[in-house]
Structures are given as C-alpha cells and as structure tokens.
Amino acid sequence: MASFIEMIKDKARADRKTIVLPETNDRRTLMAAAHIVEEKIANIIMVGDEEKIAEGAKWLELDLDEVTIINPKTTKKMDEYVDLLYETRKSKGMTKDKAKEILASDPLTFGVMMVKANDADGMVAGACHATADVLRPSLQILKTAPGVKLVSGFFIMDVPNCELGEAGTFLFADCGLNQDPSAEELAAIADTSAKSFKTLVGKKPIIAMLSHSTKGSAKHPLVDKVVEATQIAKEKYPHLKLDGELQTDAAIVPSVAKSKAPGSEIGGKANVLIFPNLDCGNIGYKLVQRLAKAEAYGPMVQGISKPVNDLSRGCSWEDIVGVVALTAVQAQLR
C-alpha cells in the first residue's frame, strides 16, 4: 500500500501546479526543488539571483534546468507587482516607492505577490524564516478565505505501523499559530481542520476536542473551555462528527473509549485532534514525530484565500518536497 505522502504526490502530478520557493539561499530548498521537478510533482519558481542559484546548484551537484528563476531586480513584472501591492495596501499607508523597496528586498513578499497576481498557485517557505515572517505578508496581501473566521496551522502526521486514526494518518491542530484560542476559536479550528482533512486525506474527518479530562473527570477552567468549544462546534457545525472533552487515549483507542467515554459518537476512532492551546499542540506533534518516528508535514496553514504554507526551521529537504506536494493539492481543490 502506498504511503500517505506518495498518494499526495500522485494527486499533485495529475494536475501539476506552480509553487514558489523564495528561500533560495538555503541548500535544502535547492535540493527540494531539484527533486520536485525530477518527480514532476509541481512546477517550481525560485526567487533570487540566477548566478547565485546556479552556483549553489553546481556545488550541490543538482540539476535545476527545469526550474524557473525570477530575479526581483530584473523582472519585467516588477511594475505590475508594485501597482498591485500599492492598491492592496494603500489604505495602510503603502506608497509605490515603499512597495518597490519591499518587493526588491524581501523574497517572501515577492513570492506572495506572484500568488496574488496568479503567476503562481501557492508558496512554501519557513526553512530559514520565522512563521510570523511567512504569514505576515500572506495575511496582509492574500487575506483570509471567504467565510473563514480564523487562520490556523495544522500538521498531517503519518505514523508508521499504526492502525489508529486513518490507518496511522492524523491531522493535529492548532500546532503553529494560535497560542490560546477561545472556545469559539477552537470550534472554528475544528471546522476548518475537518475540511483540510477531507481535502488532503480524502476520508471522513472524525474530530476529538482534546483535554486532560474526559467527560467531566477533572474540573478546571481549561477543561471548561474545551467543553464550551465542543458545544459551540456541535451547534454551529452540526454536520461534523465530533466529540469532547476527551483525553487522547479516549479519543483514539476504541477500547479506552468504551470505558472512559461510553456512548461517545466517535468511539475512540478520531483522526482529527484539536488541541486546547499551542503549547499542547506543538509539544504533542513533536513527541509523536520524534518518538513514534512519524512523518510530520507542516505547519500547513488553513484559512488563507490561496495556499501559502510554513515550514519548520528544522525541516529536511524531504519535508519541503512533502509540503510542496500538499500545497499543490490544496491549490487543485481551491
């Protein structure tokens, strides 16, 4: 049986999209770009100086002949992008001179503008930039998708030799953006996470609102928040198969669910795990990644009008390939 990421790559190949990789000073990005075009997962645009990228490719013994390189300092598109950035941000004090200065010096903003102008279908960055640096221009320029209340981050976790979840595949949220979401925000994260799971994994999302308590076993304001979030989610998104508050074992292990949460509609079969805050989500995904040797793809971003995804600064080139494939599939299904 093909792995989760191989199935995603096959989907990406079926309708190849164009993805921007702006961090061309990073060797992992160059290595990922070479493998992506070789595997025909996506068309790649790299933002930077042609000679420097060529030097890096030569040093790493990579073939980047099929990669498109756009140099902000020489591209004929600069005036078009300047006008578009100015029109998008003029209400916030943007001038054309400032727009040109930003686009010439910041490859992340330049990459986002390529997506805004429909010259690319999505962008992946974060190997050598903080999440805030990646998402700031994305939110300012691309905005949130229609009907989305909150942009959030998630990981697709692919756990080897695991029968839990969707044959070892889970979505964890929020693991990258919202530090202490309110009950209403947790409910919104559950809804967008369900859509992301359905889009990327292709299976029915079964959602657990996680806590250190199961069905009233503990009393604390943190528990109260998850209980309220569950109630809000059931009222606002009645189509979701969702339950809470649940400890992780009661959420994903059917035998434990029978004793701790008898009658729970998800029955210990959750494949989408909603964490109560960013501490829990970030710690949880890294424990599963390192101790269970799971593949962790993300932090993916949900809720932006066009696909832009972040990377962990500890990522490998293989991780970048995987996130590009996922971004391409997101772009297909926009």
Side-chain angles (χ1 to χ4, degrees):
M1 182 177 176
S3 69
F4 165 74
I5 199 61
E6 288 304 322
M7 289 189 286
I8 289 293
K9 288 179 180 180
D10 286 342
K11 287 183 182 180
R13 290 185 191 102
D15 179 15
R16 209 184 309 179
K17 297 300 181 182
T18 299
I19 307 299
V20 181
L21 297 177
E23 296 173 309
T24 51
N25 291 329
D26 189 287
R27 66 180 182 85
R28 295 167 296 175
T29 300
L30 298 181
M31 293 170 70
H35 284 83
I36 291 161
V37 295
E38 181 182 358
E39 293 186 52
K40 303 186 186 308
I41 295 167
N43 301 317
I44 293 295
I45 296 175
M46 306 191 81
V47 179
D49 181 273
E50 299 92 335
E51 290 186 5
K52 289 183 179 178
I53 293 171
E55 287 174 8
K58 184 178 179 181
W59 183 69
L60 292 167
E61 299 182 344
L62 299 173
D63 180 0
L64 295 180
D65 288 347
E66 292 186 39
V67 170
T68 300
I69 299 172
I70 303 294
N71 188 338
K73 295 179 180 177
T74 59
T75 180
K76 295 177 181 178
K77 286 271 190 174
M78 179 58 86
D79 288 343
E80 177 186 332
Y81 293 164
V82 166
D83 290 343
L84 187 54
L85 180 54
Y86 166 71
E87 289 296 330
T88 303
R89 300 288 295 163
K90 63 183 179 182
S91 64
K92 302 295 184 181
M94 181 64 68
T95 65
K96 289 194 175 183
D97 286 344
K98 184 65 175 176
K100 188 169 186 176
E101 178 187 337
I102 292 170
L103 288 166
S105 61
D106 180 15
L108 297 180
T109 301
F110 189 91
V112 171
M113 287 308 303
M114 296 195 74
V115 178
K116 174 77 171 178
N118 295 316
D119 291 330
D121 299 300
M123 185 180 88
V124 173
C128 50
H129 287 87
T131 295
D133 295 329
V134 176
L135 294 187
R136 189 182 304 109
S138 305
L139 291 170
Q140 290 175 345
I141 295 166
L142 298 175
K143 317 292 186 183
T144 55
V148 171
K149 295 182 178 180
L150 183 72
V151 173
S152 56
F154 68 92
F155 277 82
I156 295 290
M157 306 296 296
D158 192 21
V159 186
N161 305 313
C162 178
E163 297 179 355
L164 304 177
E166 187 57 49
T169 300
F170 295 85
L171 187 150
F172 286 13
D174 182 336
C175 305
L177 291 182
N178 298 286
Q179 289 190 313
D180 189 16
S182 66
E184 189 160 347
E185 288 171 336
L186 278 178
I189 291 169
D191 181 48
T192 51
S193 296
K195 293 172 184 174
S196 292
F197 187 85
K198 180 65 176 175
T199 295
L200 296 173
V201 182
K203 300 293 184 179
K204 183 178 177 62
I206 303 171
I207 307 153
M209 310 297 281
L210 297 183
S211 174
H212 68 275
S213 168
T214 295
K215 299 296 184 179
S217 65
K219 304 296 181 184
H220 192 276
L222 288 174
V223 177
D224 295 340
K225 181 176 80 167
V226 178
V227 171
E228 184 183 356
T230 304
Q231 292 171 344
I232 293 170
K234 288 184 175 182
E235 290 170 7
K236 285 194 171 184
Y237 316 108
H239 59 285
L240 295 179
K241 189 170 184 178
L242 172 148
D243 201 11
E245 88 284 16
L246 295 169
Q247 292 165 291
T248 303
D249 54 358
I252 66 172
V253 182
S255 60
V256 176
K258 286 181 181 178
S259 62
K260 285 190 174 184
S264 171
E265 61 186 281
I266 69 173
K269 296 180 180 179
N271 49 33
V272 175
L273 305 183
I274 307 301
F275 292 84
N277 58 40
L278 189 59
D279 277 346
C280 295
N282 194 270
I283 292 166
Y285 102 76
K286 287 183 177 176
L287 281 172
V288 175
Q289 180 187 28
R290 301 300 179 180
L291 299 184
K293 295 180 171 54
E295 295 293 339
Y297 300 101
M300 307 287 291
V301 180
Q302 53 193 3
I304 298 177
S305 64
K306 294 184 177 182
V308 173
N309 284 310
D310 190 25
L311 295 161
S312 168
R313 279 173 284 178
C315 69
S316 65
W317 68 262
E318 293 96 338
D319 295 331
I320 300 174
V321 172
V323 173
V324 166
L326 287 160
T327 305
V329 173
Q330 284 181 316
Q332 290 174 353
L333 297 166
R334 276 188 57 243

